[in-house]
Amino acid sequence: EISACLVGSEMCIRDSLMGDVNLDGRVNNDDVTLLNKYISGTVIFNETQIIAADVTNNGEIDFNDYSCIIRYVTGNSNIVVEE
């Protein structure tokens, strides 16, 4: 299965920045931490956060989204797909 990853510094969908799950206008370690909490079930996201978190655009928020955001935050933004 191939799923798209976050690409570029300003991928926007419906006025939210892809990967910006805390909705502060930036994609950074704070988003990674919050997404980890969501995946583990300790926080609940609103609709905007759910859209921003689904960077693979497959309708699910999971480790693939988490992995894509980590890669972006660590400067490996040239990753376009993951297998």
Side-chain angles (χ1 to χ4, degrees):
E1 176 179 89
I2 297 175
S3 55
C5 253
L6 180 67
V7 179
S9 61
E10 294 186 16
M11 262 188 96
C12 295
I13 289 186
R14 295 187 194 175
D15 300 323
S16 66
L17 185 64
M18 293 301 294
D20 178 23
V21 297
N22 68 355
L23 308 176
D24 69 352
R26 298 174 301 211
V27 180
N28 56 30
N29 283 324
D30 294 339
D31 300 297
V32 172
T33 300
L34 187 58
L35 184 56
N36 186 39
K37 290 178 181 179
Y38 177 85
I39 290 171
S40 67
T42 58
V43 298
I44 298 171
F45 282 176
N46 65 36
E47 183 178 341
T48 303
Q49 288 174 299
I50 289 170
I51 292 167
D54 185 16
V55 297
T56 59
N57 200 30
N58 67 352
E60 298 177 13
I61 299 171
D62 55 23
F63 181 77
N64 291 324
D65 301 297
Y66 180 79
S67 177
C68 287
I69 294 173
I70 287 175
R71 289 177 183 158
Y72 177 80
V73 168
T74 58
N76 200 355
S77 63
N78 60 345
I79 294 174
V80 176
V81 297
E82 74 178 9
E83 295 185 47

